[in-house]
Amino acid sequence: MADLTTTTKISESTQEVVFAFQYQYVDGGDESAVSKIDVSALTKSSNGDTCTGIRILECWWVIKAMTVEVLADANADIIILHLDEGQSGYQDFEKFGGLPTSSSYGASGTGDIKFTTTGAGAAGDAYQIIIRASKQY
């Protein structure tokens, strides 16, 4: 039986998107640079432009017994957020416009978001993460 993972788009407009991510260990182990947000698949702007990246405005998380790295996809993926084991938390980056756009990290950034986990290996190891982001065109 595989680990249980879900990605849910809670809401989306031409300006913002909110995603929820859940993971529960069953028997598969860690995620390694698993694609979570494909920005080119998001709703286009009112002018028909394709989304090229996101700026994380807010992030909520609950993590048990593992770490999660939120990565910007590039030639060498870049860690945007490092969420430690045994933590719950909230960060608000909106006051200064959010984190830099995900396509600006590293060489040949695609704008896509990936997750890598370390330490998953026992029943009950899990994460729940919600990201609210502004879309960049």
Side-chain angles (χ1 to χ4, degrees):
M1 180 178 218
D3 295 341
L4 305 174
T5 62
T6 61
T7 297
T8 305
K9 189 187 310 175
I10 296 173
S11 68
E12 182 179 12
S13 69
T14 57
Q15 311 254 309
E16 286 189 0
V17 65
V18 179
F19 277 96
F21 309 95
Q22 292 80 32
Y23 168 93
Q24 181 179 340
Y25 174 83
V26 175
D27 61 7
D30 290 316
E31 294 180 303
S32 180
V34 173
S35 181
K36 297 294 183 175
I37 301 175
D38 176 356
V39 295
S40 66
L42 297 176
T43 301
K44 295 182 180 210
S45 74
S46 57
N47 295 329
D49 298 325
T50 300
C51 183
T52 58
I54 61 169
R55 293 177 68 113
I56 296 175
L57 300 173
E58 295 178 285
C59 183
W60 296 259
W61 66 91
V62 177
I63 300 174
K64 180 169 185 308
M66 62 172 45
T67 61
V68 179
E69 293 176 341
V70 178
L71 308 171
D73 183 35
N75 284 351
D77 296 339
I78 305 295
I79 300 168
I80 297 175
L81 295 168
H82 182 89
L83 309 175
D84 260 345
E85 66 178 279
Q87 289 189 1
S88 61
Y90 167 75
Q91 287 292 316
D92 181 355
F93 305 106
E94 190 168 18
K95 290 182 181 182
F96 49 87
L99 296 178
T101 186
S102 55
S103 59
S104 70
Y105 290 91
S108 301
T110 67
D112 293 346
I113 298 295
K114 297 178 174 183
F115 286 7
T116 290
T117 62
T118 55
D125 293 355
Y127 68 69
Q128 294 78 38
I129 299 170
I130 297 175
I131 292 176
R132 182 173 77 92
S134 64
K135 295 162 66 176
Q136 307 295 296
Y137 297 97

